[in-house]
Amino acid sequence: MANLRKAAWLFGAAIVLGAFAPGAAFGEDQKLYQVQEGNKVDNATLEGWRTWRALACERCHGNQQQGLVGPSLIEALKRLSRDEFKTAVLKGRPEKGMPNFDGSKMVTENIDGLYAYLKGRADGAIKPGHVYPMK
Amino acid sequence: MTINRKYACGALLGLAFVPAPALAADDSAEQGPNPKNWAMQAGNAQNHRYSSLKQINTTNVKNLRVSWMFSTGVLRGHEGGPLVIGDTLYVHSPFPNKVFAIRLADQSIIWKYEPKQDPSVIPVMCCDTVNRGLAYADGKIYLQQADTTLVALDAKTGKVLWSVKNGDPKKGETNTNAPHIFKNKVITGISGGEFGVRGYVTAYDKDTGRQLWRAYSTGPDQEMLLDPQKTMTWTDGKMAPVGKDSSLSTWQGDQWKIGGGTTWGWYSYDPKLNLIYYGSGNPSTWNPAQRPGDNRWSMTIFARDVDTGQAKWVYQMTPHDEWDFDGVNEMILADGVNVKGKPRNVVVHFDRNGFGYTLDRATGELLVAEKYDPTVNWATHVDMKSGRPQVVAKYSTQANGADVDTKGVCPAALGSKDQQPAAYNPANKLFYVPTNHVCMNYEPFKVEYTAGQPYVGATLSMFPAPGSHGGMGNFIVWDAGSGKIVKSKAEKFSVWSGALVTAGGIACYGTLEGYVKCVDANDISKELFKFKTPSGIIGNVNTWEYNGKQYIGVLSGIGGWAGIGLAAGLEKDTDGLGAVGGYKELSKYTELGGVLTVFSLP
């Protein structure tokens, strides 16, 4: 059931993402998020940050994604593919202390936005801390 | 998994040679502990963390040297401390919650116990997998595992005698607390206030593991074991019955079902009154706007009948918490404390909210509530008539609202003190308190509840108390009768180690850098002994006597919220790495790794 639901959300998220993708021929990653002045982002990325915040990810990964008990996501997002990222978040890595978040509606709904937000952080395009809607 | 070694038999023989006074049967709440043993986490049931041993004293403490060391083989935060009964020392580790029985004669391992636990419990304990230690009674060692399994082990062999499941990690319920043995019962709590767990306390038969009673912190009267007429609370300057639905009426709808009030602290017991004392934690979520009302009985001191669990009295310290000021810290029972010229038998509690409380422990009357860190600013004072803190609007995260960063609240969420227990010296009736000196910015936001998922709802950043000595901690001496700081000794980092005070006139504690320090109990500014252990200390300092010699032992092993809290010490985006950066600073001094270090005189 969780898988079905996940698939449905991913599908929904993909459509949303598509709607935000700029028309110009940018690479896949550049379409991922839009950012102004380092802390104003598109809606999907904003929801990704809200998900990061609501699920208290900073308790393990640090309030600037720099890593605490859990690894630095600034580093990890430079390595992980989008699929690897989704698997890690949704299925967890229980032996390492990473919970599975496939039981969280907010995560399954916003996993692409979460990926976009963290990728933006790893790329250095999004500043640490609070982000806001784009104008 | 239990490793039964052949020395188990030898241990039996060894025990037979121990002179009668060293036998553990002497250690009971009723008769008081045998000072040669350290058979309870706090040394006695009154939570004193005091020892009448005086071989090590103010004159010779400088000569202490390491007698032996023992690695638990586990990283992560090591809270709690070793127990010593006769010729055997028992020590625990964080997850996976190993237990070692060590023969003091040659420091060999008599037996080792390592439970099999589902690793999925680790993330639910996010972010550290601490355990505050073992309990002992009548030949049994009790371990409260992270996955909530409470287990009784044969102290001689490590064999499992019984085990019982105390909670459900799938709902976010875990355990970090030490079990407490009072009378014929094992009393234990539950953790998970950040997962919307509804807190409770449970009593099990210490010989069979049969559940005797369970009392919730929130909800209907009968589930809280609270009598509307007989359970009393401080009301308009006197004690009065709590009345019907005293919890339900202070929550909106069903919020109390995920309302927190967890119970992971250090309990105490008064055998004459037959009462146990403990505190309940924060209401869930950390976003106060989502839970209008006083949220009773979170943040509350409970006095319960040990046999029935019925609440004799309750006192809520922080109604409608807006800062995560858990009320779980230790309850210390002291006799004959001078309050306004009258000797009173009291319970003393240093709350996360920065106030030191003194209450009559028989009746629950509020006697003293004063700040034990001068930087506490979220409330001006506690109104002694209503018993309520007078909240400063500027620091009210409720008044400022969701998605607003309330800045400069002192103390930070980890409190002017967290779980690190204070010590009480019955000789001078003073308290030796390890404290935090940290403030915070706190931004609440709306969260949805999903069972087993974090239910926090606030973003925090923490930093050393501004306008003070720049450090993140103090070791203080407190007069609970007058509510005054007698002396304060600044520390670079939070003092996250349980203190010890002895008849030898010394007070000892550990630091996050990894030092064990012993100071003159009459003048704590005099540092008499200092030794760098292999890792930062969040464990408690204990003492015992073996073979005519006094020993002092402490677990080091940095971690716990101290590590996490300091890690969060970086200010937000704009300050970035230019901020004080407590954790980065700490990493200059220490690394992970659990080691027990035992000291004695040459």
Side-chain angles (χ1 to χ4, degrees):
Chain A
M1 194 188 83
N3 277 339
L4 265 178
R5 200 171 59 204
K6 184 183 89 182
W9 290 125
L10 289 183
F11 182 64
I15 290 174
V16 171
L17 198 71
F20 275 98
F26 286 113
E28 174 79 10
D29 276 358
Q30 273 111 333
K31 288 185 215 164
L32 203 51
Y33 53 84
Q34 295 176 44
V35 57
Q36 293 169 343
E37 298 159 36
N39 64 359
K40 294 177 186 62
V41 296
D42 63 88
N43 269 339
T45 305
L46 185 67
E47 288 308 316
W49 170 73
R50 286 191 174 134
T51 303
W52 154 270
R53 186 175 71 155
L55 276 298
C57 307
E58 88 285 353
R59 295 182 81 200
C60 290
H61 295 287
N63 64 346
Q64 305 187 16
Q65 297 79 28
Q66 76 276 28
L68 291 178
V69 173
S72 159
L73 299 182
I74 303 293
E75 296 306 315
L77 269 284
K78 288 172 182 160
R79 264 192 338 266
L80 292 179
S81 71
R82 187 198 291 236
D83 285 346
E84 285 168 335
F85 170 81
K86 286 183 184 176
T87 305
V89 173
L90 296 171
K91 296 296 166 204
R93 287 174 173 166
E95 71 292 344
K96 289 185 171 174
M98 173 71 181
N100 57 307
F101 285 101
D102 52 3
S104 161
K105 185 162 164 263
M106 191 168 192
V107 174
T108 53
E109 276 182 45
N110 295 298
I111 185 91
D112 284 288
L114 180 60
Y115 177 72
Y117 169 68
L118 293 174
K119 196 73 177 152
R121 284 286 302 123
D123 292 345
I126 301 175
K127 285 188 201 161
H130 215 300
V131 294
Y132 302 90
M134 289 172 85
K135 289 192 184 95
Chain B
M1 186 182 67
T2 309
I3 300 174
N4 284 313
R5 310 229 168 179
K6 58 187 170 196
Y7 345 114
C9 171
L12 270 170
L13 288 174
L15 262 177
F17 287 112
V18 173
L23 281 179
D26 289 358
D27 294 284
S28 68
E30 284 76 12
Q31 287 157 32
N34 173 348
K36 292 183 179 178
N37 289 345
W38 192 271
M40 295 177 221
Q41 284 294 328
N44 69 11
Q46 288 73 42
N47 262 343
H48 285 175
R49 303 199 54 74
Y50 169 82
S51 171
S52 59
L53 297 181
K54 49 189 176 190
Q55 192 179 82
I56 300 168
N57 58 40
T58 47
T59 313
N60 62 22
V61 65
K62 65 176 187 289
N63 301 325
L64 279 184
R65 57 160 179 73
V66 174
S67 177
W68 56 280
M69 299 174 106
F70 179 81
S71 167
T72 64
V74 180
L75 304 175
R76 297 287 196 111
H78 283 58
E79 291 184 348
L83 298 183
V84 172
I85 296 102
D87 60 358
T88 308
L89 178 144
Y90 302 90
V91 69
H92 64 287
S93 83
F95 190 92
N97 305 137
K98 295 185 201 178
V99 182
F100 299 93
I102 296 172
R103 185 201 318 277
L104 290 175
D106 60 2
Q107 296 99 43
S108 60
I109 299 170
I110 302 169
W111 55 260
K112 172 186 160 185
Y113 173 76
E114 184 174 337
K116 279 221 185 312
Q117 299 187 74
D118 184 346
S120 68
V121 73
I122 298 174
V124 191
M125 302 185 77
C126 182
C127 285
D128 210 359
T129 52
V130 297
N131 181 288
R132 297 193 187 86
L134 307 165
Y136 173 86
D138 299 336
K140 293 185 191 69
I141 287 286
Y142 298 87
L143 167 71
Q144 176 65 78
Q145 295 174 195
D147 67 1
T148 78
T149 306
L150 175 65
V151 56
L153 305 172
D154 185 320
K156 288 181 182 134
T157 65
K159 193 176 146 242
V160 175
L161 299 173
W162 57 257
S163 79
V164 62
K165 204 82 173 138
N166 181 54
D168 179 6
K170 295 266 181 298
K171 290 198 287 187
E173 292 171 350
T174 55
N175 273 110
T176 57
N177 63 284
H180 296 84
I181 315 288
F182 300 134
K183 234 174 168 177
N184 58 338
K185 296 169 187 71
V186 191
I187 316 272
T188 189
I190 199 75
S191 297
E194 281 60 63
F195 290 80
V197 165
R198 179 185 173 211
Y200 51 85
V201 164
T202 314
Y204 298 95
D205 183 306
K206 81 173 175 27
D207 296 319
T208 65
R210 187 168 63 92
Q211 187 177 315
L212 301 172
W213 54 261
R214 171 166 287 179
Y216 285 88
S217 304
T218 64
D221 294 340
Q222 62 274 23
E223 292 178 21
M224 294 189 66
L225 303 185
L226 198 137
D227 185 314
Q229 270 74 52
K230 289 185 188 151
T231 303
M232 309 291 275
T233 194
W234 187 248
T235 314
D236 285 333
K238 60 178 190 319
M239 296 305 289
V242 292
K244 193 174 177 328
D245 294 334
S246 59
S247 170
L248 290 179
S249 62
T250 63
W251 292 91
Q252 199 171 64
D254 279 351
Q255 190 88 30
W256 57 270
K257 289 183 177 169
I258 51 169
T262 53
T263 51
W264 46 275
W266 303 101
Y267 301 10
S268 54
Y269 171 53
D270 182 328
K272 286 198 194 90
L273 296 169
N274 209 40
L275 294 175
I276 60 162
Y277 302 86
Y278 68 94
S280 60
N282 62 289
S284 307
T285 112
W286 289 12
N287 176 12
Q290 279 179 253
R291 43 172 173 75
D294 277 354
N295 310 137
R296 289 178 181 166
W297 294 97
S298 67
M299 306 304 217
T300 294
I301 301 175
F302 282 88
R304 290 187 184 275
D305 184 291
V306 72
D307 292 320
T308 64
Q310 283 289 325
K312 172 99 187 292
W313 59 261
V314 290
Y315 170 68
Q316 189 180 41
M317 295 166 285
T318 314
H320 189 64
D321 169 59
E322 310 171 39
W323 313 269
D324 184 38
F325 292 151
D326 282 54
V328 300
N329 292 355
E330 76 283 4
M331 301 293 162
I332 305 176
L333 310 186
D335 289 349
V337 169
N338 181 345
V339 183
K340 296 192 180 83
K342 278 192 194 141
R344 306 286 295 244
N345 292 345
V346 297
V347 51
V348 174
H349 169 80
F350 301 93
D351 198 60
R352 284 252 288 267
N353 73 12
F355 286 87
Y357 293 88
T358 306
L359 294 94
D360 184 302
R361 71 173 185 261
T363 63
E365 286 166 80
L366 180 63
L367 304 175
V368 176
E370 295 290 343
K371 294 173 183 178
Y372 63 93
D373 182 322
T375 64
V376 171
N377 64 11
W378 67 278
T380 52
H381 65 288
V382 172
D383 176 70
M384 294 306 284
K385 191 149 187 277
S386 65
R388 294 178 74 97
Q390 302 304 296
V391 177
V392 175
K394 184 180 163 191
Y395 300 116
S396 167
T397 74
Q398 166 80 41
N400 295 337
D403 299 313
V404 175
D405 200 21
T406 296
K407 292 187 191 294
V409 182
C410 304
L414 36 66
S416 293
K417 192 176 85 56
D418 201 277
Q419 62 79 32
Q420 63 271 38
Y424 171 65
N425 185 350
N428 62 10
K429 299 195 188 296
L430 293 174
F431 293 78
Y432 295 78
V433 195
T435 73
N436 307 324
H437 198 52
V438 181
C439 303
M440 68 174 169
N441 301 340
Y442 188 112
E443 181 178 336
F445 57 86
K446 192 171 184 303
V447 276
E448 303 288 336
Y449 173 77
T450 305
Q453 300 286 354
Y455 186 55
V456 182
T459 304
L460 277 60
S461 53
M462 307 194 209
F463 39 87
S468 185
H469 53 69
M472 292 177 153
N474 291 301
F475 186 67
I476 69 163
V477 178
W478 176 256
D479 179 341
S482 64
K484 288 199 164 60
I485 298 168
V486 177
K487 191 117 193 176
S488 184
K489 177 177 184 289
E491 281 288 347
K492 188 172 177 60
F493 296 104
S494 299
V495 188
W496 206 277
S497 153
L500 170 76
V501 63
T502 78
I506 54 168
C508 305
Y509 62 95
T511 73
L512 288 181
E513 302 105 300
Y515 291 106
V516 173
K517 293 183 176 182
C518 292
V519 298
D520 187 331
N522 288 322
D523 180 1
I524 58 168
S525 67
K526 286 186 188 153
E527 215 168 87
L528 304 174
F529 172 74
K530 180 174 162 180
F531 179 86
K532 183 80 185 309
T533 66
S535 181
I537 298 174
I538 59 171
N540 308 333
V541 186
N542 295 350
T543 189
W544 62 90
E545 183 182 318
Y546 170 69
N547 239 348
K549 209 162 192 176
Q550 185 183 356
Y551 294 86
I552 289 176
V554 68
L555 273 173
S556 49
I558 190 76
W561 204 16
I564 308 280
L566 287 166
L570 292 171
E571 269 291 297
K572 282 199 188 158
D573 44 350
T574 48
D575 296 71
L577 298 172
V580 176
Y583 192 65
K584 284 220 180 310
E585 183 72 6
L586 192 56
S587 67
K588 283 204 277 189
Y589 295 88
T590 192
E591 252 294 355
L592 303 176
V595 174
L596 173 70
T597 306
V598 177
F599 301 88
S600 66
L601 292 170

